[in-house]
Amino acid sequence: MKYLIFSDLHGSIESMEIIQSIEDKTYYVGDIIDTSVIKVRVNYKEELALGSIELYASDLEISIVTEANKSIITITYEGYSKEITVVLTPIQLVDFEIVDSLSDLVYYVGDTVNTAVITAKAVFNNGSELLLTAEELQEVAENLIIS
C-alpha cells in the first residue's frame, strides 16, 4: 500500500487504526505504562483523493486513566480518538524463604532467643524481591491476623 504524506493534514479523517500498541506487554499494578511506542495510521480524504499517514506517540495526544485493575489509554489526533485498555496484573507473592535463621546458633535452656537475626526473602510475580527483617515479619504477621 502506498502512503501519501503531507506536511499538513487538510482533509477530513476517515478512520484511525493502531498499528503498534502496548497491549502485548504484561503490566503490573503500580507500573508506569510506556506509551512512547504507540504508532497509528490515520486514513483521511482530501478532496477526491484518499491518503494515510503514520504517526508516532510524539505526534499524538495521549491520556491515561487508571482504575483498580486496568488503565484506559486514549489516543487522540485532530479530534479523532481510539482507546486501548491495558489489564493490570495484581502483584502477588509467589515464593517465600528464610535466608538467615536461628538454625546455626546454639541455645541452652533458659537462654533468651534472639529472633532479630531472622531474615526472610519474599519473591513476587513481577520479578521483584523484598528482604524482611524479623521486626518486619512480625508486623506482616500481625496484619495478616487482623485482616
Side-chain angles (χ1 to χ4, degrees):
M1 177 180 249
K2 187 175 180 180
Y3 300 108
L4 302 173
I5 308 297
F6 295 95
S7 59
D8 264 335
L9 185 60
H10 296 292
S12 61
I13 295 176
E14 297 286 314
S15 65
M16 184 168 72
E17 60 186 299
I18 299 166
I19 55 176
Q20 187 169 331
S21 185
I22 56 174
E23 295 169 300
D24 297 339
K25 184 177 184 249
T26 300
Y27 285 95
Y28 294 90
V29 172
D31 282 354
I32 295 173
I33 296 175
D34 178 16
T35 59
S36 67
V37 298
I38 293 174
K39 186 176 175 182
V40 300
R41 179 177 299 122
V42 175
N43 300 303
Y44 60 92
K45 183 177 181 180
E46 185 165 357
E47 295 181 17
L48 299 175
L50 296 176
S52 64
I53 185 170
E54 292 183 1
L55 302 168
Y56 293 88
S58 59
D59 303 314
L60 306 165
E61 182 183 320
I62 298 175
S63 64
I64 301 174
V65 175
T66 300
E67 298 174 1
N69 62 345
K70 65 182 176 180
S71 285
I72 299 168
I73 297 139
T74 304
I75 303 160
T76 305
Y77 180 76
E78 299 286 326
Y80 200 89
S81 296
K82 283 282 191 184
E83 286 187 351
I84 300 172
T85 299
V86 175
V87 175
L88 302 175
T89 304
I91 298 173
Q92 298 176 334
L93 181 67
V94 293
D95 192 23
F96 186 82
E97 67 178 273
I98 304 296
V99 290
D100 288 324
S101 69
L102 303 171
S103 63
D104 57 346
L105 301 174
V106 177
Y107 287 96
Y108 297 98
V109 176
D111 285 351
T112 301
V113 176
N114 180 9
T115 57
V117 298
I118 298 174
T119 305
K121 178 172 74 171
V123 180
F124 300 92
N125 61 336
N126 66 350
S128 65
E129 296 181 354
L130 179 64
L131 287 178
L132 300 166
T133 64
E135 187 176 302
E136 292 166 328
L137 284 169
Q138 180 65 35
E139 187 177 317
V140 168
E142 288 170 2
N143 287 333
L144 287 175
I145 292 169
I146 291 170
S147 45

